[in-house]
């Protein structure tokens, strides 16, 4: 099994103006990832951009790995230009993914924006599909909705600008969801991925309501495998590496 | 490709032939071939170098702070192949480091302000050093303190455990106390080196110099005169990057140290100046990512090199550089790597490194 491997691009599909779905085929034998883990994706031969970029995998099959990404900076702009057949170097799977919920707990998934990428594979692995709250700024940023519907999860969407689904942020929807009569007596285990302020707000709600759960964090990182210490975040037990001990952390551990 | 999400099925291309895959693969295949041959035939090439009394099987070491405690790279590199491992800087007490964000990328380089996060001497000795001892490579421990006494205590404890070398960190730009304060003041630097050398006696002492000084030759001579067995340079260059949307610095620490290919020409110039100024071995560091980079440093006068940020781009960089050096010697029909060191030609009528 290779931890660093060559891959070639099978497809690089625009979902809308700024969001893409990249499909690559590893050319070396690699190990199976678990939901919440990520890969360091290197897209070019030049020194600018210099570093590989971390991406949670969206889906993994026997032959391919898929990544959902938003074009934001230099690295993703270069990724957007990838064509079928292009070669790349990838490291992974890396990090610690989402732990399974203990017996008696019902998973509740909460995604903000591109955070859906890391939660999709988690949703897929449950036999009884969990509820998923999925929010974004606008309708355009709600990705792969048809896939999510196919998944069979209870899907609650919301947008900040009310262009689709419920009005408002995932935190409002989450509060309503937890306060609804149907949630009475259920022990939820939250799994959340999205922008930092969203995760901080969800953590606060979870702590207030004594609900356990996990958040998947994002931080600048140089290596992805624990050496550079560039991605360390503050936790109740000292600084922890997003790439190694994370990206998934228990909600109560993170010092926001 | 069953089970993949593809809303526009017709847009999926056929699988391409390998020959159409771009050059990344070519270089990877060539590299793996050379690695193969290194382990079989290329041992006839003499890659060994001496850093004072320290004999390295090849001139490729890892730079402190970029290779963790070795174990982080075990998935990628046979640590036995390395000339030496310089581990992450160790202080007496554990240090938790700086708040996030600690790194950001800049053109052809990166800034870091990790803040010397490390497990501390006790944990290093208990949990990290025994692992490193399993490998047939030289272990150099980078040490940092807030006072001469702290450096001396660290050095003494480590030397007593039998590490192969000590590298004095006097050039970290990202901490308030210690670190660079020794590196940019010739008198405190001399005092520190003298005190540590007296303690470590026969173990090789390497002083890692800061690029943040007015004269590299002067500081190189200070290190040599005070008893350092070798010098390594350069550490990162203090630098700044600003987010034009938020108007905030990109690092929580505001400034950080610049590393990567962007600093290589500066590092190379400084290594050349240093090697002209002293007769102790010089170890070249700064933006080395491949064998040709390493060769430039050797030609400039370095007896060995340390690979730093290059490990992040490509965790196999060190072993690829080693095999690349062997391939170069064979191609040029040079028997020993020592014949390359300081071999830069045509400098006699040129620039005087002292001015």
């Amino acid at each position: 099994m290779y931890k660093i491997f060559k891959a070639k691009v099978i497809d690089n599909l625009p979902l809308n103006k700024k969001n893409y779905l990249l499909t690559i085929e590893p050319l070396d034998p690699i190990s199976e990832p678990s939901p919440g883990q990520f890969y360091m994706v290197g897209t070019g031969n030049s020194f600018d951009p210099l570093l590989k970029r971390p991406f949670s995998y969206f889906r993994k099959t026997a032959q391919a790995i898929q990544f959902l990404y938003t074009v934001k900076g230099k690295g993703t702009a270069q990724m957007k230009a990838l064509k079928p057949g292009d070669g790349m170097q990838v490291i992974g799977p890396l990090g610690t993914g989402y732990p399974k919920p203990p017996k008696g707990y019902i998973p509740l998934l909460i995604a903000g924006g591109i955070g859906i990428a890391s939660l999709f594979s988690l949703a897929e692995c449950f036999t009884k599909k969990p509820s998923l709250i999925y929010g974004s700024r606008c309708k355009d940023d709600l990705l792969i909705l048809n896939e999510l519907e196919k998944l069979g999860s209870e899907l609650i969407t919301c947008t900040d600008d009310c262009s689709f689904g419920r009005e408002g942020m995932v935190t409002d929807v989450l509060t309503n969801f937890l306060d609804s009569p149907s949630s009475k007596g259920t022990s939820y285990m939250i799994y959340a991925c999205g922008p930092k302020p969203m995760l901080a707000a969800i953590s606060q709600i979870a702590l207030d309501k004594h609900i356990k759960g996990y958040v998947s964090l994002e931080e600048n990182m140089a290596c992805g495998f624990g050496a550079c210490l560039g991605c360390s975040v503050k936790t109740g037990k000292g600084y922890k590496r997003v790439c190694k001990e994370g990206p998934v952390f228990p909600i109560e551990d993170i010092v926001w | 490709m069953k089970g993949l999400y593809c809303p526009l099925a017709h847009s999926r291309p056929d699988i391409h032939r390998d020959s159409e895959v771009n050059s990344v693969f070519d270089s990877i295949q060539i590299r793996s071939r050379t690695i193969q041959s290194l382990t079989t035939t290329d041992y006839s090439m003499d890659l060994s170098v001496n850093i004072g009394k320290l004999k390295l099987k090849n001139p490729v070491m890892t730079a402190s702070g970029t290779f963790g405690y070795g174990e982080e790279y075990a998935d990628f590199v046979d640590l036995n192949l390395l000339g030496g491992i310089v581990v992450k800087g160790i202080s007496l007490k554990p240090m938790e480091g700086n708040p996030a964000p600690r790194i950001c990328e800049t053109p052809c380089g990166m800034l870091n302000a990790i803040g010397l996060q490390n497990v501390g001497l006790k944990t290093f000795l208990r949990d990290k050093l025994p692992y490193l001892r399993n490998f047939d490579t030289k272990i150099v421990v980078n040490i940092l303190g807030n006072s001469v006494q702290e450096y001396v205590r660290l050095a003494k404890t480590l030397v007593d455990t039998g590490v192969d070398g000590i590298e004095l960190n006097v050039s970290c730009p990202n901490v308030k106390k210690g670190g660079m304060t020794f590196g940019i003041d010739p008198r405190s630097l001399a005092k520190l080196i003298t005190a540590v050398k007296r303690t470590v006696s026969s173990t090789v002492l390497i002083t890692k110099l800061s690029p943040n000084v007015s004269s590299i030759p002067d500081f190189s001579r200070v290190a040599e005169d005070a008893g350092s067995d070798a010098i390594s340079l350069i550490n990162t260059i203090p630098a700044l990057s600003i987010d034009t949307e938020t108007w905030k610095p990109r690092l929580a620490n505001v400034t950080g140290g610049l590393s990567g290919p962007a600093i290589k020409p500066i590092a190379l110039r400084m290594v050349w100046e240093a090697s002209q100024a002293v007769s102790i071995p010089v170890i070249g560091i700064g933006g080395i990512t491949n064998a040709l980079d390493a060769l430039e440093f050797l030609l400039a006068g370095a007896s060995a090199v340390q690979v730093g940020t290059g490990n992040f781009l490509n965790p196999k960089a060190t072993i690829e550089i080693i095999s690349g050096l062997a391939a170069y010697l064979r191609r040029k029909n040079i028997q020993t790597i020592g014949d390359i060191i300081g071999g830069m030609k045509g400098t006699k009528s040129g620039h005087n490194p002292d001015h």
Side-chain angles (χ1 to χ4, degrees), chain B residues 87-354:
Chain B
V87 298
K88 172 84 184 152
I90 296 291
S91 49
L92 278 178
K93 295 262 175 295
M95 288 172 70
E96 75 164 3
N98 289 328
R102 292 172 164 191
I103 62 162
C104 73
E105 194 177 281
T106 55
C108 303
M110 59 174 276
L111 301 190
N112 89 77
I114 307 301
L116 298 175
Q117 178 182 345
N118 78 88
V119 297
L121 181 63
K122 207 170 129 195
T123 307
F124 173 73
L125 294 176
R126 193 190 59 211
D127 298 346
K128 308 293 181 182
L129 189 57
Y131 173 79
L132 287 165
R133 279 282 165 226
N134 293 326
F135 300 95
D136 177 25
T137 186
K138 302 296 180 190
I139 306 301
V140 175
V141 183
N142 181 288
I143 59 168
L144 49 112
N146 288 319
S147 65
V148 173
Q149 291 73 16
E150 280 189 26
Y151 278 98
V152 167
R153 229 178 105 194
L154 280 157
K156 182 160 185 355
T157 314
L158 286 160
V159 165
D160 288 347
T161 67
V163 301
D164 301 299
I166 298 287
E167 184 179 64
L168 282 184
N169 187 340
V170 289
S171 43
C172 177
N174 298 324
V175 286
K176 288 194 180 71
K177 285 195 291 180
M180 196 150 68
T181 49
F182 288 101
I184 58 175
D185 173 37
R187 284 176 60 189
S188 10
L189 181 63
K191 221 175 104 189
L192 175 66
I193 294 171
T194 310
V196 175
K197 186 60 208 174
R198 201 182 299 136
T199 317
V200 304
S201 60
S202 61
T203 303
V204 167
L205 178 66
I206 303 164
T207 305
K208 187 165 179 176
L209 296 180
S210 169
N212 211 26
V213 294
S214 53
S215 164
I216 286 290
D218 286 353
F219 276 80
S220 304
R221 280 187 288 257
V222 166
E224 181 177 40
D225 294 346
S228 194
D229 299 303
I231 50 176
S232 55
L233 69 162
I234 60 176
N235 207 319
T236 57
I237 301 173
L240 171 68
S241 178
I242 302 172
D243 184 332
T244 48
E245 285 307 307
T246 61
W247 298 15
K248 287 182 184 167
R250 287 188 193 273
L251 298 181
N253 189 54
V254 184
T255 60
L258 177 64
S259 66
I263 69 166
K264 196 191 81 180
I266 299 172
L268 197 58
R269 186 262 300 173
M270 290 183 164
V271 163
W272 177 60
E273 288 182 354
S275 67
Q276 299 290 300
V278 296
S279 53
I280 52 174
V282 174
I283 301 169
I285 322 166
I288 297 172
T289 63
N290 58 42
L292 299 183
D293 293 338
L295 280 162
E296 279 193 88
F297 279 89
L298 298 176
L299 288 166
S303 297
V305 295
Q306 290 179 8
V307 180
T309 299
N311 292 309
F312 300 153
L313 323 186
N314 171 14
K316 290 178 166 180
T318 44
I319 50 167
E320 289 175 6
I321 291 169
I322 296 164
S323 60
L325 290 176
Y328 181 86
L329 290 189
R330 195 177 27 188
R331 178 163 71 81
K332 291 279 191 181
N333 204 17
I334 299 170
Q335 290 307 309
T336 158
I337 197 119
D339 293 347
I340 293 175
I341 294 167
M344 179 165 69
K345 290 179 177 171
T347 55
K348 282 209 177 89
S349 58
H351 169 78
N352 172 357
D354 271 329

Side-chain angles (χ1 to χ4, degrees), chain A residues 8 52-53 59 147 229, chain B residues 3 5 16 102-103 105 313:
Chain A
K8 71 178 168 185
K52 291 183 170 63
R53 299 287 193 263
R59 191 177 254 173
E147 281 297 297
L229 307 182
Chain B
Y5 173 61
H16 284 240
R102 292 172 164 191
I103 62 162
E105 194 177 281
L313 323 186

